[in-house]
Amino acid sequence: MCSSDLSSPIVIDTVSPSVTITTNKTALKIGETATITLTLSEASTNFTLSDVTATGGTLSSFLVTPAGGGIAANTVYTATFTPNANFTGTGSVAVAAGTFTDAASNGNTAGALASPITIDTVAPTVAISSSTPTLANGQTATITFTLSEASTNFTLSDVTVTGGTLSGFTGSGTSYTATFTPTPSASATGTVSRSEEHTSELQSPCN
């Protein structure tokens, strides 16, 4: 009885490549970005930025990490995640299944960040009001500062005053107050401001 074998074995690869996605930051605010690292279980020559989707922000500067130091060629990629402006919520980065292949042309399995990135790129605002619109000699006004978001570092030094002085600054969270004392023997307009965008004017004719 005769038998014969294949002259060369059949190479089998039925394992789909996977992708692990991590971030160097779990929370982002105005002006901040995160570096996203995408690590493939097998090398791929057709993995591109277009294979990656982002929510709550955009991706740019997609780069492949050079081989060396324990990193195999075409397995580690990085991108910069920039959060959307004027946005409060979460961001995520994901790769859908079947978007890239390994050397055997197996399509990948899906992958995503294990936990979303917390995003707050909405600048807090402050509304400034006065207990009275005019002041006479010897009178003072209570100035109220109402913040759109709670703050732990809002202080009297953050406030600019003309035509008088502020004292007795107190409050917490989103509500603060101070006493405005007009400049003696003056007939002018007093202003109290937190920023150029948020200014309250006080008419303070003092005789």
Side-chain angles (χ1 to χ4, degrees), residues 185-201:
S185 303
S187 180
T189 298
T191 64
V192 179
S193 61
R194 172 63 180 86
S195 67
E196 292 182 0
E197 292 81 11
H198 306 282
T199 302
S200 176
E201 292 190 351

Side-chain angles (χ1 to χ4, degrees), residues 12-175:
I12 300 173
D13 181 355
T14 58
V15 177
S16 295
S18 61
V19 54
T20 301
I21 305 175
T22 59
T23 175
N24 69 329
K25 294 181 181 178
T26 58
L28 294 173
K29 59 184 179 181
I30 295 173
E32 293 183 335
T33 60
T35 298
I36 305 299
T37 301
L38 306 103
T39 304
L40 311 186
S41 61
E42 300 180 58
S44 175
T45 57
N46 61 359
F47 182 50
T48 66
L49 182 59
S50 63
D51 298 326
V52 188
T53 58
T55 59
T58 58
L59 291 174
S60 61
S61 303
F62 186 78
L63 298 170
V64 59
T65 302
I71 297 176
N74 299 318
T75 59
V76 179
Y77 299 77
T78 59
T80 300
F81 178 88
T82 302
N84 291 334
N86 298 314
F87 174 72
T88 300
T90 58
S92 188
V93 178
V95 175
T99 54
F100 67 89
T101 60
D102 62 11
S105 297
N106 294 311
N108 66 286
T109 57
L113 277 174
S115 298
I117 301 171
T118 301
I119 299 172
D120 183 355
T121 55
V122 177
T125 60
V126 55
I128 305 174
S129 60
S130 171
S131 60
T132 180
T134 59
L135 292 173
N137 216 3
Q139 294 181 330
T140 61
T142 298
I143 306 301
T144 300
F145 304 87
T146 303
L147 281 58
S148 61
E149 301 179 54
S151 174
T152 58
N153 61 356
F154 181 46
T155 66
L156 183 59
S157 63
D158 297 324
V159 184
T160 301
V161 185
T162 63
T165 58
L166 285 179
S167 61
F169 185 84
T170 186
S172 62
T174 60
S175 182

